[in-house]
Amino acid sequence: MNFVLAAGGTGGHMIPAHALAAELKSRGHGVMLLTDARGAKIPGLFEDVPVHVLPAGRLSKTPWGLLKAMRSVMAGRREAKALYRQHQPHAVVGFGGYPAFPALLAASALNIPTVLHEQNAVLGRVNRLLAGGAQAIATAYEQVDRLKPGQKNKVVLVGNPVRASIVRLGELPFPAFDDVAPLKLLVTGGSQGATVLGDVVPAGLGELGERLRHRLQVVQQCRPDDIERVRDTYRSLGIPAELSTYLQDMDAKLGECHLMIGRAGASTIAELTAAGRPAILIPLPIATDDHQTANARELARAGGARMIPQPQFTPAALARQIEALADDPEALANAAARSLSVGRPRAASDLADLVELVGQGETPAMVGKAPRTADAPIGLAPAGAAA
């Protein structure tokens, strides 16, 4: 079977698409990616998959901005239709975001079945626009806001796909930690970084007691404009820190860390829970529909993360949270286990099952499929099924 994946913009859309592509290819299917210029530049993804860059405008509230965006969308739609006529996909899978919009519009125009994957706990704008015509909606959370009641028979809970190397971390023991071992911290602000983390985290680590501060080992992602300033701060505090603008080897960094500090993006939550790592989360306050706060609620309720709203994210508040975990190695290991307990490491496989089902001309509603619970198998097409 042939499948087209439509994703772009940020790693939050691209990483789950990449994980699904790897799973589909392992089953012998053909896979193509349609993305935008920004998505195509993210390193380490889709290196063995044909990639086509489409025009994709971001919808604007101003009349001129809206007209300009729609021109780009329609141009992208025309290009996608031409590709579909040539490659004849069995289904098109959209991962939200404006770069997926023209590809999914083209699929609807040619009556090609579509699957929407929603990474966040709030249905995104593009997915809301297209949900009515989709054959299936795959979700990462049991509770997803902004779904219409009539769309719930299309919903299948699969989780958010992550790379196989991340899933393998959850099968390994949590890194050893005791009263004298180094405390390894991973600090990441998502694919765009976060200046607030560069401001608050070094200062907060500087407020820790001397005994704990001298045990710190930090890996931190920084914005390019911030990296030298952050490096100088760590140097002045005597805290060893490895700084980078992009963490391409996230699996290795996550595998070594005891505690992650960062945003609550969908891919971040999925990787934390698949690997079983505790976190201190600072949801992005300007995220559309405040979806990062919604993303974090399941992990926080389970005890795998502590959430600090950005207005309360101060050096003193961060230091208190780190000390509460680091002063009790058993508490840190328990938080890691609770993080792992809400993970969905089969997400890529379950989403591939759903995509195969739709590619065969069936839908969850046709086979009487109710939304999956966290513990139940998906029960759709068997792995490796083909039309």
Side-chain angles (χ1 to χ4, degrees):
M1 301 171 76
N2 292 320
F3 297 103
V4 169
L5 312 187
T10 68
H13 298 302
M14 294 289 285
I15 289 173
H18 172 80
L20 176 62
E23 177 66 23
L24 291 172
K25 284 177 63 66
S26 75
R27 301 182 182 195
H29 301 308
V31 180
M32 176 191 298
L33 172 71
L34 301 186
T35 187
D36 64 341
R38 191 162 55 133
K41 293 178 181 177
I42 297 177
L45 303 180
F46 293 98
E47 293 174 345
D48 59 348
V49 171
V51 176
H52 294 270
V53 175
L54 296 181
R58 184 177 180 86
L59 300 184
S60 170
K61 294 181 180 179
T62 67
W64 170 245
L66 182 60
L67 178 61
K68 184 178 179 181
M70 289 310 300
R71 285 176 176 171
S72 293
V73 168
M74 296 313 292
R77 178 177 176 270
R78 287 193 297 272
E79 289 187 28
K81 287 173 69 176
L83 288 168
Y84 296 163
R85 291 188 178 103
Q86 180 179 355
H87 294 281
Q88 299 183 345
H90 291 80
V92 176
V93 187
F95 287 83
Y98 292 106
F101 197 28
L104 291 163
L105 288 177
S108 296
L110 296 178
N111 294 317
I112 299 170
T114 59
V115 177
L116 304 181
H117 182 266
E118 180 53 62
Q119 300 91 54
N120 294 300
V122 180
L123 197 66
R125 291 178 180 176
V126 167
N127 281 349
R128 290 203 296 267
L129 288 171
L130 298 169
Q135 276 64 46
I137 302 169
T139 65
Y141 296 93
E142 292 193 47
Q143 179 183 341
V144 178
D145 300 334
R146 296 296 190 98
L147 269 170
K148 295 181 179 178
Q151 297 165 351
K152 292 186 177 179
N153 65 336
K154 302 179 181 183
V155 171
V156 179
L157 173 64
V158 299
N160 196 7
V162 299
R163 289 163 284 194
S165 57
I166 300 288
V167 173
R168 284 194 288 271
L169 296 177
E171 300 167 358
L172 301 173
F174 183 65
F177 180 70
D178 55 28
D179 294 333
V180 296
L183 175 62
K184 298 183 179 182
L185 304 179
L186 174 63
V187 186
T188 175
S191 59
Q192 304 304 308
T195 294
V196 68
L197 297 178
D199 292 338
V200 175
V201 174
L205 300 184
E207 293 197 13
L208 296 173
E210 183 177 356
R211 185 170 176 271
L212 179 57
R213 189 170 71 248
H214 286 168
R215 295 164 55 198
L216 296 175
Q217 293 181 5
V218 180
V219 174
Q220 182 161 348
Q221 177 203 16
C222 299
R223 293 178 64 88
D225 294 344
D226 301 333
I227 192 166
E228 292 306 321
R229 173 178 56 81
V230 175
R231 182 174 283 118
D232 289 342
T233 302
Y234 278 121
R235 187 180 295 119
S236 69
L237 293 168
I239 297 174
E242 176 187 339
L243 307 183
S244 175
T245 58
Y246 183 77
L247 300 176
Q248 188 166 342
D249 57 341
M250 177 60 79
D251 49 355
K253 302 303 186 190
L254 192 61
E256 294 170 356
C257 85
H258 296 104
L259 178 66
M260 198 282 287
I261 303 169
R263 295 300 195 192
S267 288
T268 297
I269 301 292
E271 290 178 346
L272 286 169
T273 57
R277 293 296 183 271
I280 296 172
L281 300 174
I282 306 91
L284 178 66
I286 61 170
T288 305
D289 299 317
D290 195 23
H291 67 254
Q292 288 204 2
T293 297
N295 290 349
R297 64 190 171 200
E298 180 181 58
L299 182 53
R301 287 171 183 166
R306 299 176 180 221
M307 184 162 46
I308 306 176
Q310 186 162 309
Q312 284 81 56
F313 183 54
T314 64
L318 176 63
R320 287 195 300 269
Q321 295 289 359
I322 293 174
E323 288 172 341
L325 289 166
D327 286 347
D328 183 357
E330 187 174 334
L332 194 63
N334 185 49
R338 293 187 178 195
S339 174
L340 188 65
S341 73
V342 294
R344 297 183 176 89
R346 284 184 46 84
S349 177
D350 286 350
L351 181 56
D353 287 348
L354 176 61
V355 168
E356 287 177 333
L357 182 85
V358 171
Q360 294 165 8
E362 299 185 76
T363 67
M366 289 169 61
V367 296
K369 181 73 190 74
R372 189 173 73 100
T373 66
D375 300 321
I378 194 167
L380 297 175

